Amino acid sequence: MPNITDLPVMTRADAVSLDFAGYNDVPHRCVDVPDGAFTITAKTSEGRRVTFCFMGKSYDGPARFCDIQFHDRGTTIPNANNGVSPTFNAFAITRGGRHVIDSRRLAEDEKPSILVLLMDEAEEEPAPLAPDRLPMKDRDLADLLNRAAAVITAPGSEIRSDREDLIDTLTAEAARRRR
């Protein structure tokens, strides 16, 4: 197997000039991914392996998403094919460096085993949900659950007057999260 530095490697500017995307000013290796299911596998000098499986809407169509797996964390979970898949940590960064998704604090059986990168364009995305259809933020849900606990523990108190509103809010939130 050739070493990556033995293969044609170029600068970020060279990659961009060939109509590839560039990321950071480090050496780039450009790959044209063919139509159909196709996996690129990579291994670090320490033997840590990662795969990038490009898939389309059909097995022979152009890639529309990329399944990413890290294989050497040393943990697995059962998968949908009666086998096991490796688990790993991942996070996503948005404006200002804020982590909008972060698996590092999840329990082991909730860590991701596949990270799916969707390769759709903005105009192909479904319209964002209206604010009243979005799930509650964690802090708001925690407040709501505290209210529910207060009604359950003291059903005869004045808190009971909020009971119907509380039931409606909890039912609506459950419906949003089931979608």
Side-chain angles (χ1 to χ4, degrees), residues 2-11 27-31:
N3 185 307
I4 190 69
T5 56
D6 295 337
L7 298 171
V9 176
M10 58 188 72
T11 67
H28 281 56
R29 171 69 177 124
C30 298
V31 177

Side-chain angles (χ1 to χ4, degrees), residues 70-158:
F70 171 59
H71 297 267
D72 296 303
R73 184 168 172 265
T75 56
T76 60
I77 58 171
N79 65 26
N81 298 322
N82 296 320
V84 295
S85 292
T87 62
F88 52 87
N89 283 311
F91 57 88
I93 302 170
T94 190
R95 181 178 22 179
R98 187 171 57 91
H99 294 185
V100 290
I101 298 167
D102 191 342
S103 70
R104 292 174 289 186
R105 297 196 188 279
L106 294 176
E108 192 58 43
D109 65 339
E110 293 181 332
K111 289 191 182 294
S113 64
I114 299 173
L115 182 65
V116 180
L117 173 66
L118 302 175
M119 298 185 331
D120 49 358
E121 295 176 353
E123 63 270 5
E124 297 171 319
E125 292 177 10
L129 291 174
D132 63 330
R133 297 190 53 155
L134 289 172
M136 289 182 164
K137 293 189 180 335
D138 287 347
R139 182 177 297 278
D140 295 335
L141 181 58
D143 291 343
L144 179 63
L145 293 172
N146 281 335
R147 281 180 53 211
V151 168
I152 291 167
T153 57
S157 74
E158 68 278 355

